[in-house]
Amino acid sequence: MTTARTLTTVTVVGASLAGLHAARGLRSLGYDGRLVVVGEERHRPYDRPPLSKEFLTGDGDPGEGPGRLALTDPEEEAELDAEWLLGVRAEALDTAAGEIRLTGGRALRTDGVVIATGATPRTLPLPRLDGVHTLRTLDDATRLRAALRAGAARVVVIGAGFIGAEVASSCAALGLDVTVVEAAPLPLVPQLGEEMARVCAGLHARGGATLLCGTGVAGLRGSVRVTGVELTDGRVLPADVVVVGVGVRPVTGWLEGSGLALEDGVRCDEGCVTALPNVVAVGDVARLAQPGTARTVRAEHWTSGMLQGAVAARNLLAGATVEPFEALPYFWSDQYGARIQYAGRRASGDTVRIVEGAPADGGGFLAVYERGGISTAALGVDRPRPFMRLRRELARAPQPAGR
Amino acid sequence: MIPVCRIEDLPEGESLRVEAGDATVAIAVFHTDGAFYAIDDTCSHQDASLSDGWLEGCYVECPLHAALFDLRSGEPTCLPARKPVRTHAVTVVDGMLYVHPAVRTVPGEPVHAAPEEAVA
């Protein structure tokens, strides 16, 4: 490949939030060469967060395409002036030849690459039966939405992470009988710490769903259609629909043999740049170095995906890392009528202090995580205004060493 | 026209949410930079209440995804929002604040919301 300073073709592999924002970033920084966007899905870029929430519960016909979830409109697409290869998979990257091989063997010559292939749901070693779903794409959500409205009465959600909880909440809102099965003794402990995880786990009961923790899934009942879920503790939960929400894994299979470092994601420096200055990675698939530490971080947050695109585009055009990605991690989750918001970099062992409200009352509250007297993160439930104030303070404040 | 509150009940830097008569649309009313402004309360990007947003001068930041809206025009100034929110006229009569819900806003021709009385 040629040096990044003379890029004539940049290919963005992945046509979702992060890839789109990288494409936008390239254009807004003045890149006027050929821009190709490859997307495995047949849809133009759309917003995924609503898929587990209002898309499932909303009235009316969601239609065929992204509709209201579209991230672009025709006017903006015309401005982007990109070639969209949708419904096309990238199968391999040959960095020496400067080529991406696509489905069907077609080769795409390119001298700059943005890897934005995202992540795909993890699966369990279970038989393939009708009625068993995962949720990542618009097509997944369309199938699940139809299944939930086709006379299903009992839903079992496997995994009580944010996606599992949001799907369970949506099912409860649709009036279905919902049980959530979580292998860990308590969900969300890695994200929120034990104390706050316990509070958030209480939302399931508040919303009318049953949460079963500390038990795995042994198998499924049913021959063609699923009829139940067998737990490792011997119980069997009757089910018309099963949703598996046990996390995601980054989509890097197509990069095997490319020479790029792959370790649960595409290894990058702090500016989304890989070992090759003309190959960058953004979004769920990117594993960024954390300056000053030996650690790397792969974030599956919507906001990171959106913001990394601009940083990666700038570094790609500069031919070197001139800007690090330093945004404070942030995520939110809407479940059972509550809005959870988290920002910061908590670590195991940080203490947590309630600064507003009282979790015990079942209402909203605001909590601050601290280490050595320094705030490291904030968690809000139905406290959008004060949470935002804390989020801004955290973004400005120095973090404890090594965060 | 919707009565909102007495002007002394909405101090500088504060905001509140009112529902239009038919409750089909919620309106966020702000007191900032010495004036009152009213815009649609729901962010044009995703379901979030702009009256909960962060005020800086004539801009409000959405509390969910940090999209910025210009209170004077309803136009977003940065992503993720791409569509404007409607602006609504505000008047002050005898110390009482009123919002006049816009029937519709012609894209690109935002209705300006300027108070009839300067409020220090």
Side-chain angles (χ1 to χ4, degrees):
Chain A
M1 290 191 182
T2 53
T3 65
R5 271 174 292 280
T6 56
L7 295 173
T8 55
T9 300
V10 175
T11 304
V12 180
V13 186
S16 192
L17 182 78
L20 173 67
H21 278 267
R24 282 176 176 165
L26 288 163
R27 286 299 190 222
S28 67
L29 290 164
Y31 172 71
D32 60 2
R34 185 179 176 213
L35 180 60
V36 184
V37 183
V38 179
E40 185 180 0
E41 293 179 62
R42 57 196 169 97
H43 304 293
R44 291 286 168 113
Y46 61 88
D47 217 13
R48 295 191 200 278
L51 295 179
S52 54
K53 304 184 269 280
E54 54 265 42
F55 182 87
L56 294 179
T57 57
D59 295 331
D61 179 6
E64 278 297 294
R68 293 178 48 208
L69 302 182
L71 289 168
T72 59
D73 54 34
E75 187 186 358
E76 197 213 5
E77 284 173 20
E79 275 174 33
L80 264 183
D81 190 23
E83 295 165 49
W84 297 85
L85 302 179
L86 299 176
V88 175
R89 272 175 63 97
E91 304 287 0
L93 172 65
D94 183 337
T95 54
E99 279 185 353
I100 295 171
R101 266 190 289 287
L102 305 174
T103 319
R106 179 180 158 195
L108 185 67
R109 291 298 305 269
T110 190
D111 42 20
V113 180
V114 179
I115 297 167
T117 38
T120 191
R122 288 183 188 280
T123 51
L124 298 170
L126 296 170
R128 295 178 65 93
L129 293 175
D130 288 348
V132 181
H133 297 257
T134 53
L135 177 56
R136 174 77 182 181
T137 67
L138 177 58
D139 293 349
D140 292 341
T142 303
R143 280 189 292 269
L144 177 59
R145 188 180 190 274
L148 294 174
R149 289 155 191 262
R154 291 163 304 189
V155 180
V156 173
V157 178
I158 302 171
F162 289 112
I163 290 283
E166 289 179 4
V167 169
S169 161
S170 295
C171 292
L174 288 167
L176 305 171
D177 178 86
V178 190
T179 304
V180 184
V181 180
E182 168 61 46
L186 190 63
L188 302 176
V189 173
Q191 292 89 342
L192 303 178
E194 187 158 341
E195 198 178 338
M196 290 298 108
R198 196 171 304 284
V199 171
C200 289
L203 291 170
H204 290 280
R206 202 179 92 182
T210 305
L211 174 65
L212 303 177
C213 292
T215 178
V217 171
L220 298 176
R221 291 277 172 95
S223 50
V224 178
R225 275 202 71 82
V226 71
T227 58
V229 176
E230 297 171 8
L231 303 184
T232 48
D233 64 9
R235 281 180 291 183
V236 177
L237 306 173
D240 307 307
V241 170
V242 174
V243 184
V244 180
V246 292
V248 296
R249 52 180 181 78
V251 178
T252 56
W254 68 287
L255 295 167
E256 298 289 341
S258 67
L260 294 174
L262 306 176
E263 40 186 90
D264 182 43
V266 177
R267 186 61 207 274
C268 317
D269 68 7
E270 66 276 18
C272 301
V273 182
T274 67
L276 298 170
N278 50 348
V279 180
V280 297
V282 292
D284 288 2
V285 77
R287 176 165 289 279
L288 272 61
Q290 276 202 296
T293 76
R295 283 197 304 272
T296 58
V297 174
R298 189 174 66 78
E300 294 170 0
H301 307 325
W302 184 95
T303 305
S304 304
M306 180 178 74
L307 297 175
Q308 282 171 359
V311 174
R314 188 170 167 211
N315 294 333
L316 181 64
L317 294 177
T321 300
V322 294
E323 182 185 346
F325 175 74
E326 292 176 320
L328 189 76
Y330 165 71
F331 63 80
W332 83 99
S333 175
D334 294 339
Q335 44 184 275
Y336 305 109
R339 171 160 288 171
I340 302 169
Q341 293 177 286
Y342 169 96
R345 298 182 177 94
R346 69 166 286 279
S348 180
D350 289 5
T351 56
V352 65
R353 185 166 57 92
I354 304 296
V355 294
E356 211 178 283
D361 299 346
F365 65 92
L366 189 64
V368 179
Y369 296 88
E370 293 165 331
R371 168 159 304 224
I374 297 174
S375 300
T376 58
L379 175 72
V381 174
D382 292 333
R383 284 290 186 277
R385 276 187 92 161
F387 172 84
M388 189 161 49
R389 197 178 60 242
L390 272 179
R391 180 184 171 186
R392 296 173 79 95
E393 285 171 14
L394 280 166
R396 285 194 302 262
Q399 289 284 298
R403 293 281 169 102
Chain B
M1 151 166 117
I2 308 167
V4 179
C5 63
R6 306 278 318 162
I7 51 174
E8 56 270 25
D9 293 334
L10 187 61
E12 176 87 23
E14 290 294 320
S15 59
L16 51 78
R17 181 176 185 270
V18 292
E19 284 192 350
D22 56 2
T24 52
V25 65
I27 294 174
V29 186
F30 301 90
H31 182 184
T32 183
D33 273 9
F36 296 104
Y37 299 92
I39 61 174
D40 281 349
D41 185 52
T42 304
C43 178
S44 63
H45 169 244
Q46 262 178 30
D47 186 20
S49 182
L50 294 174
S51 56
D52 286 330
W54 181 271
L55 266 176
E56 275 198 10
C58 286
Y59 298 90
V60 65
E61 180 185 302
C62 171
L64 190 56
H65 296 135
L68 270 187
F69 292 90
D70 187 331
L71 296 175
R72 295 161 296 187
S73 63
E75 291 289 336
T77 62
C78 71
L79 293 164
R82 291 182 305 116
K83 301 184 191 79
V85 290
R86 294 182 308 169
T87 57
H88 307 277
V90 180
T91 54
V92 177
V93 180
D94 296 334
M96 191 73 192
L97 189 63
Y98 295 91
V99 166
H100 307 259
V103 178
R104 60 190 169 86
T105 303
V106 182
E109 293 180 39
V111 177
H112 218 65
E116 288 184 357
E117 294 178 8
V119 179

